[in-house]
Amino acid sequence: MLSKQTLYKKQAGEYAATLIEDNMVVGLGTGSTVRFFIEMLAKRINTEGLNIVGVTTSSKTSALAKSLGIKLSSVDEVPYIDITIDGADEVDLNFNGIKGGGAALLFEKIVALNAHKNIWIIDESKYHDVIGQFPLPVEVVPYGSYQLLKRFEEADLNPSFRRTATGSRLTTDVDNYIIDLSLEQIDHPKSLAYFLEQIIGVVEHGLFLNIVDEVIIGGEQLKIITK
């Protein structure tokens, strides 16, 4: 039996699949909620004969989409992306988001910025007044990463390397590291984003600001909020 949270994820994901139209190029995000979207999208492709091209944000998503028979292209092979459906680890009332819990933030941001429309699908536990409860991921190059960790410590950002179950440093699809910043509350996300973007060795951060157009929130009742 699925938990309430899983049911809410399923509700949001499957609803998002109803928004996809024939001949669309669709950005396919990463994460447990997006999995429900992709599975339902594949069902629609098979039953309705939709002509859909997917652009994925991670190797995990690529593997899932291929296994379900969804045609894929890279972001450099398509002229545009009509719509991207992705999850988020946290969203606030001002449409600021934290993403990167699945270590795919770099590709997720690239795909999002090349899409005409971005929709996030979440369960209600991820919608807060202010972001920051979820640790902020920062993707960094391995060379000099310990020096970056020390710099983040000096800035009181409570950093830690993300690690695998075996204790080794987790690597992204392009072999970078993730440093998670445990901040509890981010009152000035734009200022923090600017600070991180100025640091050499930082590849990308998980603050997604001024990107999303619509958020679908699974819960006791499905909610759709539009920017």
Side-chain angles (χ1 to χ4, degrees), residues 82-106:
D82 290 291
I83 187 171
T84 291
I85 308 291
D86 205 350
D89 298 299
E90 197 172 9
V91 184
D92 71 15
L93 300 176
N94 295 311
F95 294 88
N96 300 311
I98 290 178
K99 291 170 49 55
L105 62 153
L106 176 60

Short mmCIF file of all heavy atoms in Angstrom, two decimals, residues 82-106:
data_model
loop_
_atom_site.label_atom_id
_atom_site.label_comp_id
_atom_site.label_asym_id
_atom_site.label_seq_id
_atom_site.Cartn_x
_atom_site.Cartn_y
_atom_site.Cartn_z
N ASP A 82 9.33 22.42 -25.61
CA ASP A 82 8.02 23.04 -25.39
C ASP A 82 7.73 23.22 -23.91
O ASP A 82 7.27 24.28 -23.48
CB ASP A 82 6.91 22.19 -26.02
CG ASP A 82 6.96 22.21 -27.53
OD1 ASP A 82 6.66 23.26 -28.11
OD2 ASP A 82 7.31 21.17 -28.13
N ILE A 83 7.95 22.17 -23.16
CA ILE A 83 7.59 22.17 -21.74
C ILE A 83 8.49 21.21 -20.99
O ILE A 83 8.84 20.15 -21.51
CB ILE A 83 6.10 21.77 -21.57
CG1 ILE A 83 5.64 21.92 -20.13
CG2 ILE A 83 5.83 20.37 -22.08
CD1 ILE A 83 4.11 21.75 -19.97
N THR A 84 8.91 21.60 -19.82
CA THR A 84 9.69 20.71 -18.95
C THR A 84 8.89 20.42 -17.69
O THR A 84 8.37 21.35 -17.05
CB THR A 84 11.05 21.33 -18.59
OG1 THR A 84 11.87 21.37 -19.76
CG2 THR A 84 11.76 20.50 -17.53
N ILE A 85 8.78 19.16 -17.38
CA ILE A 85 8.12 18.73 -16.15
C ILE A 85 9.20 18.17 -15.23
O ILE A 85 9.90 17.22 -15.58
CB ILE A 85 7.06 17.63 -16.41
CG1 ILE A 85 6.08 18.07 -17.50
CG2 ILE A 85 6.36 17.28 -15.11
CD1 ILE A 85 5.14 19.18 -17.11
N ASP A 86 9.35 18.78 -14.07
CA ASP A 86 10.39 18.35 -13.15
C ASP A 86 9.86 18.42 -11.73
O ASP A 86 8.84 19.06 -11.46
CB ASP A 86 11.64 19.23 -13.30
CG ASP A 86 12.92 18.55 -12.87
OD1 ASP A 86 12.85 17.46 -12.27
OD2 ASP A 86 14.00 19.12 -13.12
N GLY A 87 10.55 17.76 -10.83
CA GLY A 87 10.22 17.85 -9.43
C GLY A 87 10.98 19.00 -8.78
O GLY A 87 11.71 19.74 -9.42
N ALA A 88 10.81 19.13 -7.48
CA ALA A 88 11.58 20.10 -6.70
C ALA A 88 11.67 19.56 -5.28
O ALA A 88 10.77 18.86 -4.81
CB ALA A 88 10.92 21.47 -6.72
N ASP A 89 12.75 19.88 -4.62
CA ASP A 89 12.92 19.43 -3.24
C ASP A 89 12.24 20.38 -2.27
O ASP A 89 11.88 19.99 -1.16
CB ASP A 89 14.42 19.33 -2.92
CG ASP A 89 15.10 18.29 -3.80
OD1 ASP A 89 14.70 17.11 -3.73
OD2 ASP A 89 15.99 18.66 -4.57
N GLU A 90 12.06 21.61 -2.71
CA GLU A 90 11.37 22.59 -1.88
C GLU A 90 10.96 23.77 -2.75
O GLU A 90 11.69 24.16 -3.66
CB GLU A 90 12.30 23.07 -0.75
CG GLU A 90 11.59 23.75 0.39
CD GLU A 90 12.51 24.03 1.57
OE1 GLU A 90 13.74 23.85 1.44
OE2 GLU A 90 11.99 24.43 2.62
N VAL A 91 9.78 24.33 -2.47
CA VAL A 91 9.27 25.50 -3.20
C VAL A 91 8.65 26.44 -2.18
O VAL A 91 7.98 26.00 -1.25
CB VAL A 91 8.22 25.11 -4.26
CG1 VAL A 91 7.79 26.33 -5.07
CG2 VAL A 91 8.73 24.02 -5.18
N ASP A 92 8.89 27.76 -2.37
CA ASP A 92 8.29 28.70 -1.43
C ASP A 92 7.18 29.51 -2.10
O ASP A 92 6.87 29.34 -3.29
CB ASP A 92 9.35 29.59 -0.78
CG ASP A 92 9.96 30.63 -1.73
OD1 ASP A 92 9.40 30.87 -2.82
OD2 ASP A 92 11.01 31.20 -1.37
N LEU A 93 6.59 30.41 -1.32
CA LEU A 93 5.44 31.18 -1.79
C LEU A 93 5.78 32.11 -2.94
O LEU A 93 4.90 32.56 -3.67
CB LEU A 93 4.86 32.00 -0.63
CG LEU A 93 4.37 31.22 0.59
CD1 LEU A 93 3.92 32.17 1.69
CD2 LEU A 93 3.25 30.26 0.22
N ASN A 94 7.07 32.43 -3.11
CA ASN A 94 7.52 33.33 -4.16
C ASN A 94 8.06 32.59 -5.38
O ASN A 94 8.75 33.19 -6.21
CB ASN A 94 8.58 34.28 -3.61
CG ASN A 94 8.03 35.21 -2.54
OD1 ASN A 94 6.99 35.84 -2.74
ND2 ASN A 94 8.71 35.28 -1.41
N PHE A 95 7.79 31.29 -5.45
CA PHE A 95 8.20 30.45 -6.58
C PHE A 95 9.72 30.25 -6.65
O PHE A 95 10.26 29.94 -7.70
CB PHE A 95 7.67 31.00 -7.92
CG PHE A 95 6.18 30.95 -8.03
CD1 PHE A 95 5.40 31.99 -7.57
CD2 PHE A 95 5.55 29.85 -8.59
CE1 PHE A 95 4.01 31.95 -7.67
CE2 PHE A 95 4.17 29.79 -8.70
CZ PHE A 95 3.40 30.84 -8.23
N ASN A 96 10.40 30.46 -5.54
CA ASN A 96 11.80 30.08 -5.45
C ASN A 96 11.87 28.59 -5.14
O ASN A 96 11.05 28.08 -4.37
CB ASN A 96 12.52 30.86 -4.33
CG ASN A 96 12.48 32.34 -4.55
OD1 ASN A 96 12.78 32.82 -5.64
ND2 ASN A 96 12.10 33.09 -3.52
N GLY A 97 12.84 27.91 -5.73
CA GLY A 97 12.94 26.47 -5.50
C GLY A 97 14.34 26.03 -5.16
O GLY A 97 15.33 26.68 -5.51
N ILE A 98 14.42 24.90 -4.45
CA ILE A 98 15.68 24.19 -4.26
C ILE A 98 15.54 22.86 -4.99
O ILE A 98 14.56 22.13 -4.79
CB ILE A 98 15.99 23.93 -2.78
CG1 ILE A 98 16.34 25.24 -2.07
CG2 ILE A 98 17.14 22.93 -2.63
CD1 ILE A 98 16.63 25.09 -0.59
N LYS A 99 16.52 22.58 -5.85
CA LYS A 99 16.55 21.32 -6.56
C LYS A 99 17.96 20.75 -6.51
O LYS A 99 18.91 21.45 -6.25
CB LYS A 99 16.12 21.52 -8.03
CG LYS A 99 14.64 21.87 -8.17
CD LYS A 99 14.23 22.31 -9.56
CE LYS A 99 14.69 21.40 -10.65
NZ LYS A 99 14.26 19.99 -10.46
N GLY A 100 18.06 19.45 -6.74
CA GLY A 100 19.36 18.81 -6.73
C GLY A 100 19.49 17.67 -5.75
O GLY A 100 20.57 17.12 -5.56
N GLY A 101 18.36 17.30 -5.13
CA GLY A 101 18.40 16.15 -4.22
C GLY A 101 18.79 14.86 -4.92
O GLY A 101 19.31 13.94 -4.30
N GLY A 102 18.54 14.82 -6.22
CA GLY A 102 18.94 13.67 -7.02
C GLY A 102 20.26 13.85 -7.73
O GLY A 102 20.62 13.06 -8.60
N ALA A 103 20.99 14.91 -7.33
CA ALA A 103 22.32 15.23 -7.88
C ALA A 103 22.30 15.53 -9.36
O ALA A 103 23.30 15.37 -10.05
CB ALA A 103 23.31 14.10 -7.58
N ALA A 104 21.15 16.01 -9.87
CA ALA A 104 21.02 16.30 -11.31
C ALA A 104 20.83 17.79 -11.58
O ALA A 104 20.36 18.17 -12.65
CB ALA A 104 19.87 15.50 -11.90
N LEU A 105 21.18 18.64 -10.63
CA LEU A 105 20.84 20.06 -10.73
C LEU A 105 21.42 20.75 -11.95
O LEU A 105 20.79 21.63 -12.54
CB LEU A 105 21.26 20.81 -9.47
CG LEU A 105 22.74 20.84 -9.11
CD1 LEU A 105 23.06 22.08 -8.30
CD2 LEU A 105 23.13 19.61 -8.28
N LEU A 106 22.63 20.38 -12.37
CA LEU A 106 23.25 21.04 -13.52
C LEU A 106 22.44 20.79 -14.78
O LEU A 106 22.05 21.74 -15.49
CB LEU A 106 24.68 20.56 -13.70
CG LEU A 106 25.42 21.09 -14.94
CD1 LEU A 106 25.51 22.61 -14.91
CD2 LEU A 106 26.82 20.46 -15.04
#
